[in-house]
């Protein structure tokens, strides 16, 4: 019997719905999630001969419930009719190499309690709070580099069963002056078996700058745009083709060689997101120098600490930068850092300074004659060609300092060959990169994301990259989408912090712009909560762009767990499955691997090409920090849950490092800054959930006896952290503490502090083992003071 037409919520089209034939009703009822539905209420329609759209009449509240299934997944279809049979779900079996990923071939089953088959397909429906799966559409999958779970499984299986052959085939696509030795990979991740070491493509001779620039030019892409640069102020812009970028890189490389920078020498780069930042990185790589980019938001003390540690031949900076409406005097910070580093025994003879005239004129820039050199006065005079310094695959490429739990930043060392192959490959597959794409990653090159996915990964693939100098909400919260439309950005990669921040501003700042060029969205820096994921998907991507929700670290060099667009359904908030060659395991406190659906500590079994090789000057700390907790594995420091489908859900840091807006900040660093104040006797810092930043910094502060609490002192404590570390590390909350919960041995019980900070007072647990249990009640009483 034909029933009235309706506007189908799934596909937003007016369709004539008919009572579902008995065969369809019976077969649909076999699906576990639908068994509680009354078959007589179901109506159905065929959408593009591919999807079965099943709708229920409106409820008393006027809402029409709906679900839909992909006919290929749940129904066998002939040319003329639907079969009444549903393909039965196979019993999952696992092997050593493919456990927790082979379930992907039998998707979907959903995660958690799913009352019905709630799913959407890209471009055909918005993701709601009840939607657990987001499917790629057929056209997208057909054109993707990895178009199905089966294709992924085939590639993944080879990558873990024959890693040498898998990665050697990919590495052969790059230029090598000399090929690597017969043994592609040599490693030991088990501290019980001796020194930890990781080597890939050892014996190979190459240069990453050559592969980023010369190789693309030689293939005919010299006139292709390499960089679109967007200044802080609207209308200030610039472009560089691959030919022009190579010329600029060679000029700086020649200058660096002329002042005595050689292979293996360190160069510190303290620049904002000008085109000169990736130019400086590539120039160092071209001559074999080791660059150490320091985020141009770090304080004098933090910069000086890094200068003292790596002892650079030169520091490259600019006089100032405008971040939104605020001018930041970078040269003043560098001047003070060079004074401080000299006092600690490290003297830098050259400070190459770029005049960023939109922020400050050179006439008003403070100057140190004999040491300071204006970039524009010397670099353009050098030749636009520069011979390549060929380097070994295991020669160092860059140092990047990341926060540690001891208070001293760790100099993460990445080498050339494996990092080059891994970042290029992860970029290609995780973003389904095509040659016509315009790619924009909002990260700063002062962080690993800017190294791997602003500079090296994209340029190794011959991509066109957008580099933006300013703040994402300047002059208004629509700036990002204005830039997307201006440059026809097709791949947009950003942090959950920015997504949440723009989400709070309202949809109108997004919807006033077209954004039709967008094809892929990406998330980096911390787990993205499902509600922000859905807003990103629905509003920014118009429900048609898959989201590459990537998990990785400074130490990993590139993506480790990430969706591959077009390959499998996504679950909002999940990083999904491991990248090729990556073998994640979840272990308990004793280091025993946990199978199936579980939560625990995330570790990696076996090495991968992009892995860091050591901590600069401190290999013992490298082994202790990453390989001693669970011998035989790389310990990520993150907690992770795995659902019954094998999808991975990152739950955050389990050590004393806080992830604020994608910036990893050691609690010890913040505590050290706080106790440097003469009125602060002791401090303990924990991370708490923050609506915008992901995690916020919550500081418990004990003052010197006799010093009263005051708003002025609170501001002074926040200011001292800003000065010593940087604004991004400023505590969100100062909690006055007459004492801290400690064991009798003097260990601060941070677990209890986290519960107090998060107001989870019913989860404090046993406090009887504390030296002074009454401290807990005092802290609770002072929580809102």
């Amino acid at each position: 019997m034909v029933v009235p037409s309706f506007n189908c919520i799934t596909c937003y089209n007016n369709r004539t719905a008919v009572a579902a034939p008995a065969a369809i009703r019976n077969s649909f009822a076999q699906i576990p999630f639908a068994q509680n539905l009354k078959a007589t209420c179901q109506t159905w329609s065929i959408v593009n001969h591919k999807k079965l759209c099943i709708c229920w009449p409106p409820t008393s509240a006027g809402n029409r419930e709906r679900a839909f299934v992909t006919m290929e997944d749940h129904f066998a279809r002939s040319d003329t009719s639907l079969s009444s049979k549903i393909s039965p779900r196979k019993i999952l079996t696992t092997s050593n190499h493919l456990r927790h990923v082979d379930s992907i071939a039998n998707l979907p089953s959903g995660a958690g309690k799913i009352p019905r088959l709630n799913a959407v397909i890209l471009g055909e429906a918005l993701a709601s709070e009840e939607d657990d799966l987001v499917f790629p559409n057929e056209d997208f999958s057909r054109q993707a580099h990895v178009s199905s779970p089966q294709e992924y499984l085939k590639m993944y299986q080879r990558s873990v069963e024959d890693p040498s052959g898998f990665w050697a085939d990919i590495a052969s696509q790059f230029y090598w002056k000399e090929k690597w030795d017969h043994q592609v990979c040599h490693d030991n991740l088990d501290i019980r078996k001796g020194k930890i070491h990781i080597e890939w493509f050892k014996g190979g001779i190459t240069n990453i700058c050559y592969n980023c620039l010369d190789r693309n030019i030689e293939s005919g892409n010299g006139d292709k745009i390499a960089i679109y640069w967007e200044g802080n102020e609207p209308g200030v812009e610039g472009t560089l083709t691959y030919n022009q970028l190579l010329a600029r890189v060679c000029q700086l490389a020649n200058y660096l060689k002329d002042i005595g920078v050689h292979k293996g020498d360190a160069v510190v780069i303290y620049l904002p997101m000008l085109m000169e930042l990736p130019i400086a990185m590539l120039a160092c790589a071209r001559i074999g120098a080791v660059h150490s980019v320091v985020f141009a938001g770090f304080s004098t003390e933090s910069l000086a600490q890094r200068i003292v540690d790596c002892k650079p031949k030169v520091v490259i900076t600019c006089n100032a930068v405008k971040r939104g409406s605020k001018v930041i005097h970078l040269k003043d910070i560098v001047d003070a850092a060079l004074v401080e580093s000299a006092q600690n025994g490290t003297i830098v003879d050259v400070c190459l300074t770029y005049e960023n005239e939109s922020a400050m004129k050179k006439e008003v820039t403070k100057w140190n004659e004999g040491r300071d050199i204006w970039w524009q006065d010397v670099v353009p005079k050098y030749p636009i060609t520069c011979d390549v310094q060929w380097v070994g695959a295991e020669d160092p490429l860059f140092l990047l300092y990341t926060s540690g739990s001891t208070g001293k930043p760790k100099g993460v060392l990445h080498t050339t060959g494996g990092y080059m192959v891994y970042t290029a490959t992860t970029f290609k597959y995780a973003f389904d990169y095509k040659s016509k794409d315009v790619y924009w990653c909002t990260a700063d090159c002062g962080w690993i994301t800017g190294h791997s996915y602003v500079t090296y990964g994209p340029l190794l693939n011959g991509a066109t990259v957008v580099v933006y100098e300013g703040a994402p909400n300047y002059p208004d919260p629509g700036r990002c989408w204005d830039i997307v439309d201006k440059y026809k950005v097709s791949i947009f990669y950003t942090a959950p912090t920015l997504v949440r921040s723009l989400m709070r501003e309202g949809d109108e700042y997004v919807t006033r712009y077209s954004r039709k060029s967008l094809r892929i969205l990406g998330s980096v820096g911390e787990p993205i909560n499902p509600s922000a994921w859905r807003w990103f998907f629905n509003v920014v991507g118009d429900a048609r762009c898959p989201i590459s929700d990537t998990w990785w670290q400074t130490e990993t060099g590139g993506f480790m767990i990430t969706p591959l667009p077009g390959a499998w359904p996504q679950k909002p908030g999940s990083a999904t499955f491991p990248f090729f060659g990556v073998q994640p395991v979840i272990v308990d406190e004793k280091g025993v691997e946990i199978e199936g659906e579980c939560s625990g500590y995330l570790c990696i079994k076996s090495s991968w090409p992009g892995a860091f090789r050591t901590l600069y000057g401190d290999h013992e700390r490298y082994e202790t920090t990453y390989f001693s907790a669970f011998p035989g594995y790389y310990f990520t420091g993150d907690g992770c849950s795995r659902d019954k489908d094998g999808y991975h859900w990152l739950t955050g840091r389990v050590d004393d490092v806080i992830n604020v807006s994608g910036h990893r900040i050691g609690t010890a660093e913040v505590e050290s800054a706080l106790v440097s104040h003469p009125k602060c006797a002791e401090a303990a810092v924990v991370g708490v959930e923050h609506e915008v930043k992901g995690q916020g910094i919550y500081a418990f502060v004990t003052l010197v006896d006799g010093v009263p609490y005051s708003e002025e002192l609170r501001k002074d404590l926040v200011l001292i952290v800003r000065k010593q570390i940087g604004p991004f590390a400023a505590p969100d909350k100062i909690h006055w503490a007459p004492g801290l919960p400690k064991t009798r041995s003097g260990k601060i019980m941070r677990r209890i502090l986290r519960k107090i900070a998060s107001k989870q007072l019913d989860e404090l647990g046993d406090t009887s083992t504390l030296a002074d249990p009454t401290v807990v009640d005092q802290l609770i009483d002072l929580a809102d003071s």
Side-chain angles (χ1 to χ4, degrees):
M1 180 183 72
V2 176
V3 296
S5 64
F6 61 92
N7 190 270
C8 179
I9 284 186
T10 301
C11 54
Y12 294 98
N13 290 321
N14 187 274
R15 300 188 178 279
T16 299
V18 299
I24 297 298
R25 294 201 306 271
N26 294 337
S27 59
F28 186 74
Q30 294 175 32
I31 302 174
F33 315 127
Q35 288 175 354
N36 62 334
L37 301 177
K38 294 181 179 178
T40 54
C41 294
Q42 297 169 15
T43 59
W44 67 294
S45 59
I46 301 299
V47 184
N48 298 332
H49 304 290
K50 284 292 181 185
K51 296 176 293 297
L52 182 66
C53 185
I54 303 172
C55 299
W56 293 266
T59 63
S60 58
N63 299 318
R64 180 183 295 279
E65 296 184 275
R66 91 293 182 257
F68 86 128
V69 294
T70 303
M71 292 166 60
E72 291 177 331
D73 291 339
H74 293 286
F75 295 91
R77 182 175 67 85
S78 68
D79 291 337
T80 58
S81 65
L82 284 169
S83 168
S84 63
K85 286 284 187 179
I86 296 180
S87 300
R89 182 170 171 79
K90 298 177 182 177
I91 297 175
L92 301 183
T93 59
T94 61
S95 67
N96 286 336
H97 295 303
L98 299 179
R99 67 189 186 289
H100 314 313
V101 297
D102 53 9
S103 61
I104 196 172
N106 303 287
L107 290 175
S109 76
K113 296 180 179 179
I114 303 178
R116 301 186 179 90
L117 277 175
N118 291 328
V120 296
I121 284 184
L122 292 173
E124 297 178 6
L126 299 178
S128 74
E129 290 300 323
E130 287 76 37
D131 289 319
D132 300 272
L133 292 163
V134 177
F135 287 82
N137 66 41
E138 185 177 317
D139 289 340
F140 191 103
S141 291
R142 189 186 303 115
Q143 299 175 51
H145 290 308
V146 180
S147 59
S148 67
Q150 291 74 23
E151 186 177 354
Y152 162 76
L153 282 171
K154 182 178 179 181
M155 295 178 69
Y156 183 80
Q157 181 170 2
R158 186 189 177 209
S159 74
V160 295
E161 293 181 351
D162 178 24
S164 293
F166 179 86
W167 289 111
D169 286 350
I170 292 175
S172 297
Q173 300 169 21
F174 299 90
Y175 179 81
W176 298 81
K177 189 74 171 176
E178 294 180 21
K179 198 173 181 181
W180 51 88
D181 299 337
H182 176 71
Q183 189 172 9
V184 175
C185 172
H186 187 262
D187 62 23
N188 172 44
L189 271 59
D190 193 336
I191 200 167
R192 297 167 298 188
K193 296 179 180 179
K195 184 178 180 180
I196 301 296
H197 67 273
I198 298 170
E199 296 174 335
W200 284 82
F201 311 111
K202 190 172 184 179
I205 305 295
T206 189
N207 183 284
I208 196 170
C209 176
Y210 182 90
N211 277 282
C212 283
L213 303 181
D214 306 64
R215 184 173 62 95
N216 282 307
I217 292 170
E218 290 164 5
S219 66
N221 289 319
D223 292 329
K224 181 178 181 179
I225 298 294
I227 296 176
Y228 284 118
W229 179 74
E230 176 80 2
N232 180 69
E233 299 295 334
V236 178
E237 60 194 47
T239 61
L240 287 176
T241 65
Y242 272 86
N243 281 326
Q244 292 168 334
L245 178 57
L246 176 59
R248 297 275 294 273
V249 167
C250 287
Q251 287 179 318
L252 179 58
N254 284 321
Y255 168 76
L256 293 175
K257 289 199 300 182
D258 200 30
I259 63 172
V261 177
H262 303 294
K263 177 184 176 183
D265 289 337
V267 174
V268 165
I269 304 170
Y270 188 73
L271 282 169
M273 290 296 282
L274 305 172
M275 285 191 286
E276 283 65 28
L277 179 45
I279 287 171
M281 295 166 67
L282 291 163
C284 290
R286 193 168 191 84
I287 62 175
V290 182
H291 61 72
S292 181
V293 182
V294 180
F295 172 59
F298 272 117
S299 66
T300 291
E301 290 84 351
S302 295
L303 177 57
Q305 194 173 32
R306 288 152 173 78
I307 291 172
V308 169
D309 194 63
C310 71
K311 296 174 173 53
K313 282 285 188 73
V314 58
V315 172
I316 302 176
T317 189
C318 72
N319 53 351
V321 63
K322 282 192 71 176
R323 183 79 173 167
S325 58
K326 182 180 180 181
V327 176
I328 303 170
H329 298 84
L330 298 183
K331 179 65 164 49
D332 291 353
I333 296 172
V334 173
D335 288 346
L338 291 175
V339 170
E340 186 172 326
S341 62
Q343 292 171 348
N344 286 281
T346 301
I347 298 174
V348 179
D349 295 326
V350 178
C351 178
L352 181 65
T353 306
Y354 184 84
E355 182 194 5
N356 188 14
E357 59 183 1
S358 64
M360 176 185 284
K361 301 297 183 183
K362 65 164 58 176
E363 293 78 18
V364 297
T365 303
K366 295 178 183 176
W367 207 245
N368 187 324
E369 290 293 341
R371 185 199 67 189
D372 298 345
I373 305 292
W374 285 113
W375 176 308
Q376 286 93 331
D377 288 349
V378 293
V379 174
K381 297 177 181 178
Y382 281 83
I384 61 172
T385 59
C386 177
D387 291 340
V388 173
Q389 174 66 61
W390 301 106
V391 299
E394 285 300 320
D395 284 342
L397 174 63
F398 65 84
L399 278 172
L400 188 57
Y401 288 86
T402 185
S403 293
S405 58
T406 65
K408 179 185 177 184
K410 300 171 293 188
V412 170
L413 178 68
H414 280 284
T415 54
T416 303
Y419 175 84
M420 174 180 75
V421 172
Y422 196 71
T423 52
T425 308
T426 49
F427 176 84
K428 173 183 175 180
Y429 286 103
F431 294 124
D432 190 46
Y433 170 73
K434 306 294 197 305
S435 60
K436 293 183 179 180
D437 281 319
V438 175
Y439 167 80
W440 181 22
C441 171
T442 64
D444 192 287
C445 287
W447 308 107
I448 186 62
T449 306
H451 285 60
S452 298
Y453 300 113
V454 172
T455 304
Y456 291 118
L459 296 180
L460 285 165
N461 281 276
T464 295
V465 181
V466 173
V467 174
Y468 175 47
E469 176 191 26
N473 60 352
Y474 179 79
D476 63 50
R479 184 68 185 276
C480 285
W481 322 122
D482 178 51
I483 293 172
V484 165
D485 282 359
K486 179 177 180 178
Y487 297 108
K488 294 181 172 56
V489 172
S490 54
I491 304 172
F492 179 70
Y493 189 40
T494 193
T497 302
L498 178 58
V499 174
R500 288 189 290 266
S501 175
L502 297 177
M503 182 179 171
R504 292 176 66 183
E505 298 292 342
D507 296 359
E508 62 272 16
Y509 284 105
V510 182
T511 56
R512 69 173 62 164
Y513 297 96
S514 165
R515 296 160 286 109
K516 289 182 179 179
S517 60
L518 287 174
R519 191 174 69 85
I520 303 279
L521 301 174
S523 172
V524 60
E526 68 212 62
I528 183 170
N529 52 301
S531 61
W533 193 103
R534 291 185 178 96
W535 183 85
F536 199 27
F537 174 82
N538 290 334
V539 180
V540 175
D542 287 330
R544 57 183 174 76
C545 302
I547 299 175
S548 288
D549 179 8
T550 61
W551 175 82
W552 60 299
Q553 300 173 317
T554 301
E555 294 87 346
T556 69
F559 305 145
M560 299 291 281
I561 304 176
T562 178
L564 299 185
W568 57 71
Q570 294 186 258
K571 297 183 180 183
S574 172
T576 71
F577 292 94
F579 191 72
F580 304 127
V582 177
Q583 298 184 58
V585 296
I586 297 176
V587 302
D588 62 17
E589 291 85 350
K590 296 180 180 179
V592 178
E593 291 186 25
I594 314 173
E595 299 293 332
E597 189 173 3
C598 63
S599 293
Y601 300 97
L602 179 61
C603 295
I604 308 297
K605 178 184 289 188
S606 190
S607 71
W608 61 98
F612 72 133
R613 303 309 198 242
T614 190
L615 294 177
Y616 181 67
D618 199 348
H619 195 76
E620 181 180 353
R621 187 183 182 192
Y622 169 74
E623 294 182 331
T624 301
T625 304
Y626 300 99
F627 300 96
S628 64
F630 303 107
Y633 304 97
Y634 165 75
F635 175 42
T636 68
D638 281 334
C640 183
S641 295
R642 183 174 54 230
D643 68 26
K644 57 193 172 74
D645 293 326
Y647 281 68
H648 292 80
W649 303 77
L650 277 297
T651 56
R653 303 298 297 171
V654 297
D655 58 14
D656 291 327
V657 176
I658 304 172
N659 194 328
V660 179
S661 300
H663 303 166
R664 291 177 60 187
I665 302 166
T667 57
E669 284 185 283
V670 182
E671 291 164 2
S672 177
L674 288 168
V675 299
S676 69
H677 193 287
K679 295 182 180 180
C680 179
E682 192 172 23
V685 170
V686 297
V688 291
E689 184 176 350
H690 192 284
E691 180 182 1
V692 174
K693 296 188 290 188
Q695 278 191 297
I697 296 177
Y698 195 110
F700 292 85
V701 172
T702 301
L703 300 179
V704 173
D705 283 346
V707 175
Y709 307 140
S710 70
E711 178 62 15
E712 181 179 358
L713 179 54
R714 187 197 68 79
K715 291 179 180 178
D716 286 345
L717 289 168
V718 172
L719 186 62
I720 201 167
V721 176
R722 292 174 62 92
K723 179 178 182 294
Q724 291 192 20
I725 304 176
F728 55 89
D732 297 280
K733 168 76 173 179
I734 299 289
H735 186 134
W736 303 121
L740 296 173
K742 298 178 183 179
T743 62
R744 292 174 179 86
S745 64
K747 178 183 177 182
I748 297 174
M749 296 294 287
R750 296 177 188 276
R751 171 185 60 80
I752 293 175
L753 295 179
R754 290 189 187 98
K755 296 300 181 183
I756 294 173
S758 301
K759 300 186 184 303
Q760 297 172 325
L761 303 182
D762 57 340
E763 298 177 20
L764 287 174
D766 183 14
T767 61
S768 62
T769 58
L770 296 176
D772 181 8
T774 64
V775 166
V776 175
D777 290 332
Q778 293 173 351
L779 290 175
I780 293 171
D781 291 339
L782 288 168
D784 296 319
S785 64

